[in-house]
Amino acid sequence: RLKSSIAGTADLTAFGRPWEMCPNCNQPYRNEVAIDLSSAFIDFVDEGEHKTGMAKLAARRLRLVSFGTYLMSTSRSGAPSKFLDDAKETSRAVIAMIDEIRAEEGRLSQPVQILETDAYSVLGMAHLQRGTKEGAAEAVLNFTKCRDICERIGHRIGTTVAESNISLSLAKSGQSRVDTKDNLCMYDTMYQHCLATSSESSPTSISIGIRLADA
């Protein structure tokens, strides 16, 4: 709380960093620790002196990212239903806030549009992990929205991930089959691109690495 208060909301990255990064290893918090801290961050913003629209969105972005990373890590074992419900609620809250910004300002910045794709992606993952054909069908709808926005803004990796998620969801819903060989090639290419543009410890690299192992 003190570090965020000192950083202020002029730089939202610095404002949220104490809730996102471990000060000892300088790596993002993971799984339930990350989810719990994101909840505390939302309470801090909503109840304190930093309750601006963008600060509230930044706090919910962190919660969305926490759920996204968690759902990717539990893609094999499955996440408890409580986390799936909370992930859906968080995704819908982010989408609603972005819709409000769009209505007020008419145009969204690139980072906010990418956040919107993340919200639809996490919403799709939460539906998919229900393990039902109905859930998979809902996942297709959300991953398609994610892909359409990614294509519109030129977010190449996001488009590729969304298309893969659509194929997987269609297979889970019984509407198609997944081509394992194509998936392996696609994820390997994406993983190499992530290593070249960021690092193996980045959230995107970790997520795609998990998908590569699952394929």
Side-chain angles (χ1 to χ4, degrees), residues 31 40 70 86-87 99 105-106 112 129 132 199 201 208:
N31 300 327
Y70 178 72
D86 288 348
D99 283 342
E105 301 182 8
V112 173
Q129 282 206 24
T132 64
S199 70
S201 62
I208 293 174

Side-chain angles (χ1 to χ4, degrees), residues 179-199:
D179 189 314
T180 301
K181 182 178 179 181
D182 286 349
N183 267 2
L184 283 169
C185 292
M186 177 185 65
Y187 282 124
D188 183 60
T189 299
M190 290 166 59
Y191 188 64
Q192 296 306 321
H193 176 79
C194 286
L195 294 182
T197 57
S198 56
S199 70

Side-chain angles (χ1 to χ4, degrees), residues 17-130:
R17 182 173 293 276
W19 308 89
E20 184 173 9
M21 306 291 290
C22 173
N24 297 318
C25 65
N26 202 35
Q27 296 294 318
Y29 293 109
R30 297 291 182 198
N31 300 327
E32 293 183 41
V33 173
I35 292 170
D36 289 344
L37 282 171
S38 69
S39 295
F41 186 27
I42 289 174
D43 291 341
F44 168 70
V45 171
D46 289 356
E47 298 170 4
E49 62 187 56
H50 305 290
K51 194 167 54 175
T52 66
M54 292 307 295
K56 291 173 69 175
L57 184 61
R60 284 155 181 85
R61 181 208 68 84
L62 179 57
R63 187 162 176 78
L64 185 75
V65 169
S66 300
F67 275 120
T69 304
Y70 178 72
L71 292 179
M72 288 298 299
S73 69
T74 58
S75 60
R76 288 180 176 177
S77 60
S81 60
K82 178 185 183 304
F83 288 116
L84 298 180
D85 291 339
D86 288 348
K88 290 178 186 177
E89 180 182 352
T90 299
S91 300
R92 289 171 179 141
V94 169
I95 292 168
M97 293 180 73
I98 292 175
D99 283 342
E100 289 180 6
I101 295 172
R102 181 184 286 110
E104 292 174 1
E105 301 182 8
R107 187 173 183 179
L108 300 176
S109 66
Q110 181 88 347
V112 173
Q113 290 182 84
I114 291 176
L115 178 59
E116 188 176 26
T117 70
D118 291 338
Y120 280 115
S121 182
V122 172
L123 187 55
M125 285 191 285
H127 278 295
L128 186 60
Q129 282 206 24
R130 285 294 182 189

